[in-house]
Amino acid sequence: MVSALMFSCKPETSDPTGTGNDNLPADFKYNTVRNIDLSLNATTLDGVKMQGAGIKIYTRRMVNEFGVVSYDGELAAGAVDESGTFNAAFQSATTIDTVYAVTGYPGLLSEVKISVKAGGSISGNMVPVMLPSTERTNANVNCDGNGYNILTCWDNNGVPVQNDVIKPAVTIPNSMLQNIYNTLPEGKNISAAPDRTNLLVENADLVLTQSAAVYVTFVSEAAGNQNAFGFFAYDNDKIPSGPNDVNKIPQRNMLVFPNSSLPGSGGNLQSGFKIKLGTFTNRSVGFFCANNGWDQSSKKVKNNVELYYSRSSWNPEVAAGANDKRHHMVLLEDPETHKIVCGVEDLNRKTGGSDHDFNDILFIIETEPAGAFNSALIPDILPANDTDQDGANNDIDQYPTDPTRAFNNYSPNATDFSALCYEDLWPSMGDFDMNDMVVRYNYNLVTSASNKAVELKAKFRVDAIGASYRNGFGVQFGVPPGGVTGVTYSDAGRAGTGLETAVTDKATVNIFTDAFKMVSWGGGSFYKTIQAEKLGTSHLQEVTVTFKPNTYTAAQLGAQPYNPFIYTNKNRASEVHLPDNAPTMAANLSLFGTAGDKSNPATGKYYRASNNMPFALHIPVFNYPTEKSDIRKTYLRFKDWAQSSGTSYADWYSNTNSGYRDASKIYIP
């Protein structure tokens, strides 16, 4: 219920604090977020376009006690397109200088750190780029196995250098990478996945059925460790009983890749690097991983680390009483090519923080002649699984049974709400408490497998009404009205009027017509702007805006939060926008330059007061001032931030240290 006091309240007086002569920069846009248009190359050096590789963008990177990396603050998701490029448009707070592009796709870097300080269009590369040749080869090659047998010597980055066993690098087709990606997706516990438990066999050794040469090709890695990888070979009828027995055979624990790491991830091993293990007759080949075994300082492999074997019963988890976690390697056959994928889990699965996805290191094993092994002992690799056949594999498709939808893209993130704060006396100057109307929003732009906008799932909540005006609210997009095919509301009783037909140049959606209908409370002069008065309920309105299929990228819709605005006291022509955001066609342009407004449409300057203060602000995760508390007197670094054009005190609204805020003037729900 709306109280009578609300209706009788008089409009606010102009600039009661007397701080109107700040001379704030005329060109400062008061941005607390940066809009990013990101383009990442995902075409390998040998021309393979990694189409279908899923990539996500996060704001936070965390490392636990075991060195395992995880991410939070998801902003965007999508897939590499047919051109071999990943494109995403998103916003991040100006307090965030770095975001992380993350993928589990083999052959790409698992993480790319991207500086977003400049904002705007940013390019990057998901493809590992080898160090220059002067750094790849070194006269001081290392041939000291430090207790291991060695297949070759290696350079200062742990890359094998002897040409008698190294073969020309091979191109790994994207179809095979997709199958690997589908079978061993990043972060998926293989031992807990019903469709993958058969992949864990007791002995993931290669049992040869005839005389054959064996080759190993490095595919990729998704590990925080610099792991060493090697093999041992034994007669088929003389199976070693354990690691100690391996030490008694001629080809025992022989290093192949001293440092199984990509460029940019602690090594310089190129995807497609191929090496010959040897020619074997009536023998079996087993494999081992030396956990974090490469020592960059000594250029050697450590001999005091845990070893994980393809023979599961030899692994340390068995002795530790975790027999169900004994597996560390899988072998998977591609039935068409008879090539074998070897996947390695590089952390102790009982105590090391393992994610059990078996893709920490990936290799391809093949024989010459092809298929010269006992295939009955090796499970088949799983083909790409795309239930809805939209081009996005199930493990990256966030809508795996819907062919029109694939990815979620959030603003500000999946759970939080950003604040849009308005002064509603425009063109007159108000008290700059920025609480005449506070609308919080959360956006989820759903995109297709081809990264085209499908719909915007928007949530809106009115958290404050520090005014007597009955204000409406809308959002304008950067596409024509025909680009929006539908608008639906979760609460019909509080719904706006949908797509505005009177605005014919850009799609404009009326979210609600009266802020009072968006809230309920038991009395008081204003809604949630005076700390001592009764609280009420802010009703959530969920609005779905559907776009013309397969037409617009996220960037074409406009920079988020798009162009949100209020119109004051039910006067549709009296719009208030964020600084320098243009009005819609429905606005009364004759109001510009009157009263306290100093807009100059000819130069693109809109909604500026005489002292260059804005009439609206967009702030992530914000506690607004109480009634009549000027934002400059409440957030004590606001003016410093504005006068520096945003280069100083970017955290003015979030920092709680002394000197940043007058807590007595901040409304606390």
Side-chain angles (χ1 to χ4, degrees):
M1 162 178 173
V2 179
S3 77
L5 284 173
M6 173 64 81
F7 289 104
S8 63
C9 181
K10 295 180 180 179
E12 304 161 37
T13 58
S14 175
D15 196 25
T17 61
T19 55
N21 57 351
D22 291 331
N23 295 319
L24 301 173
D27 58 349
F28 182 47
K29 296 182 180 296
Y30 295 88
N31 289 332
T32 59
V33 300
R34 300 186 185 98
N35 284 283
I36 311 298
D37 191 359
L38 179 66
S39 177
L40 296 176
N41 170 57
T43 300
T44 66
L45 298 177
D46 47 0
V48 177
K49 295 176 173 59
M50 301 297 210
Q51 182 177 359
I55 297 173
K56 289 186 177 182
I57 308 297
Y58 296 93
T59 60
R60 291 186 293 277
R61 182 184 193 270
M62 299 158 289
V63 183
N64 70 11
E65 60 185 304
F66 304 108
V68 177
V69 177
S70 60
Y71 303 89
D72 195 11
E74 181 182 334
L75 295 176
V80 175
D81 62 23
E82 66 276 3
S83 72
T85 305
F86 171 80
N87 294 292
F90 56 91
Q91 65 168 240
S92 67
T94 53
T95 54
I96 296 171
D97 292 337
T98 302
V99 299
Y100 301 88
V102 178
T103 183
Y105 204 79
L108 295 178
L109 290 168
S110 59
E111 172 198 290
V112 173
K113 184 178 179 181
I114 301 166
S115 172
V116 294
K117 291 181 69 173
S121 297
I122 297 175
S123 300
N125 191 9
M126 293 296 292
V127 176
V129 178
M130 294 183 70
L131 296 170
S133 58
T134 54
E135 296 182 51
R136 287 205 306 271
T137 58
N138 190 293
N140 299 317
V141 295
N142 198 324
C143 303
D144 181 359
N146 200 19
Y148 299 93
N149 282 352
I150 65 169
L151 186 65
T152 77
C153 301
W154 52 87
D155 67 12
N156 280 347
N157 294 293
V159 178
V161 295
Q162 285 183 274
N163 292 327
D164 55 338
V165 293
I166 295 172
K167 302 302 175 184
V170 298
T171 297
I172 303 171
N174 194 33
S175 58
M176 183 165 224
L177 296 174
Q178 287 178 337
N179 290 343
I180 296 172
Y181 190 35
N182 177 63
T183 309
L184 304 173
E186 175 62 27
K188 187 161 188 173
N189 185 342
I190 300 304
S191 60
D195 61 337
R196 289 170 170 82
T197 52
N198 68 307
L199 305 183
L200 301 177
V201 298
E202 188 60 34
N203 296 311
D205 294 349
L206 183 70
V207 180
L208 298 173
T209 55
Q210 58 181 292
S211 179
V214 178
Y215 300 86
V216 172
T217 301
F218 174 71
V219 177
S220 190
E221 53 96 2
N225 292 335
Q226 279 69 61
N227 299 300
F229 181 79
F231 79 98
F232 56 94
Y234 57 90
D235 292 343
N236 287 342
D237 57 355
K238 295 181 181 178
I239 301 173
S241 60
N244 290 334
D245 257 6
V246 170
N247 293 329
K248 301 174 185 177
I249 60 179
Q251 289 173 305
R252 65 184 189 276
N253 284 357
M254 184 168 290
L255 288 174
V256 179
F257 297 112
N259 183 11
S260 306
S261 300
L262 287 164
S265 186
N268 199 33
L269 199 54
Q270 179 185 4
S271 182
F273 191 105
K274 188 173 183 179
I275 197 164
K276 182 179 180 180
L277 303 189
T279 299
F280 308 93
T281 302
N282 192 34
R283 307 207 84 192
S284 295
V285 180
F287 305 95
F288 71 92
C289 168
N291 170 254
N292 206 23
W294 174 252
D295 184 350
Q296 184 62 35
S297 60
S298 68
K299 319 302 181 189
K300 294 181 180 179
V301 175
K302 307 169 191 174
N303 62 8
N304 58 347
V305 297
E306 279 193 332
L307 299 184
Y308 304 130
Y309 288 93
S310 52
R311 300 191 69 81
S312 301
S313 62
W314 296 3
N315 289 323
E317 293 85 353
V318 175
N323 197 54
D324 60 324
K325 294 181 172 62
R326 65 191 182 278
H327 301 88
H328 273 272
M329 296 189 192
V330 294
L331 294 187
L332 309 166
E333 183 183 3
D334 178 354
E336 294 185 9
T337 64
H338 297 295
K339 294 179 180 179
I340 296 169
V341 173
C342 175
V344 180
E345 183 59 37
D346 77 331
L347 296 175
N348 189 298
R349 296 185 60 213
K350 176 178 171 61
T351 62
S354 168
D355 58 5
H356 318 286
D357 57 11
F358 290 81
N359 67 9
D360 298 332
I361 326 175
L362 293 165
F363 302 94
I364 290 174
I365 302 168
E366 54 192 311
T367 62
E368 190 179 85
F373 52 85
N374 188 343
S375 61
L377 303 176
I378 303 175
D380 286 346
I381 197 168
L382 302 179
N385 186 10
D386 182 8
T387 300
D388 56 19
Q389 298 185 350
D390 63 352
N393 192 55
N394 283 2
D395 285 299
I396 65 167
D397 194 337
Q398 292 164 310
Y399 301 84
T401 61
D402 185 341
T404 65
R405 297 169 176 82
F407 304 110
N408 295 320
N409 300 268
Y410 297 105
S411 177
N413 54 53
T415 57
D416 291 323
F417 283 68
S418 282
L420 297 163
C421 308
Y422 294 90
E423 287 288 304
D424 70 351
L425 286 186
W426 181 88
S428 297
M429 295 172 64
D431 55 9
F432 292 117
D433 56 13
M434 289 295 167
N435 68 17
D436 294 354
M437 191 161 81
V438 177
V439 180
R440 296 197 193 271
Y441 77 87
N442 176 279
Y443 288 162
N444 176 13
L445 179 64
V446 180
T447 54
S448 67
S450 59
N451 301 320
K452 295 296 177 65
V454 177
E455 62 190 4
L456 179 70
K457 294 182 177 180
K459 299 176 183 178
F460 297 101
R461 189 179 72 224
V462 174
D463 272 12
I465 306 175
S468 58
Y469 284 171
R470 289 179 168 269
N471 299 317
F473 177 73
V475 178
Q476 186 172 72
F477 300 94
V479 299
V484 171
T485 59
V487 181
T488 60
Y489 300 84
S490 63
D491 189 338
R494 297 180 173 87
T497 58
L499 186 67
E500 294 190 336
T501 57
V503 181
T504 58
D505 61 338
K506 294 182 180 180
T508 304
V509 176
N510 190 298
I511 304 301
F512 57 81
T513 59
D514 185 350
F516 288 176
K517 293 182 179 180
M518 296 288 290
V519 302
S520 301
W521 83 105
S525 53
F526 298 111
Y527 179 72
K528 291 189 177 180
T529 63
I530 299 175
Q531 197 71 55
E533 293 190 355
K534 294 180 181 179
L535 299 180
T537 301
S538 299
H539 300 289
L540 187 69
Q541 179 69 281
E542 299 182 49
V543 182
T544 300
V545 181
T546 306
F547 300 102
K548 187 177 180 180
N550 302 314
T551 304
Y552 303 111
T553 64
Q556 289 172 320
L557 297 182
Q560 293 182 2
Y562 310 112
N563 187 1
F565 61 94
I566 64 170
Y567 54 93
T568 64
N569 211 23
K570 292 195 170 184
N571 179 1
R572 182 60 188 82
S574 179
E575 297 180 358
V576 182
H577 291 250
L578 293 170
D580 297 340
N581 277 15
T584 76
M585 287 179 59
N588 181 359
L589 303 185
S590 68
L591 295 174
F592 287 125
T594 65
D597 178 72
K598 297 300 178 183
S599 298
N600 186 351
T603 60
K605 300 297 182 186
Y606 295 100
Y607 301 100
R608 302 287 189 134
S610 59
N611 59 350
N612 286 317
M613 274 288 285
F615 290 91
L617 288 171
H618 171 218
I619 309 170
V621 195
F622 178 61
N623 290 108
Y624 52 83
T626 56
E627 192 61 35
K628 307 297 182 185
S629 297
D630 187 299
I631 194 169
R632 293 163 292 184
K633 298 285 189 176
T634 305
Y635 286 93
L636 307 179
R637 295 300 184 182
F638 175 90
K639 189 166 69 171
D640 298 319
W641 168 70
Q643 289 180 332
S644 74
S645 293
T647 59
S648 301
Y649 302 105
D651 60 347
W652 63 267
Y653 60 89
S654 60
N655 196 319
T656 59
N657 289 335
S658 175
Y660 273 80
R661 53 176 60 187
D662 182 344
S664 68
K665 293 183 171 68
I666 296 175
Y667 185 86
I668 305 299

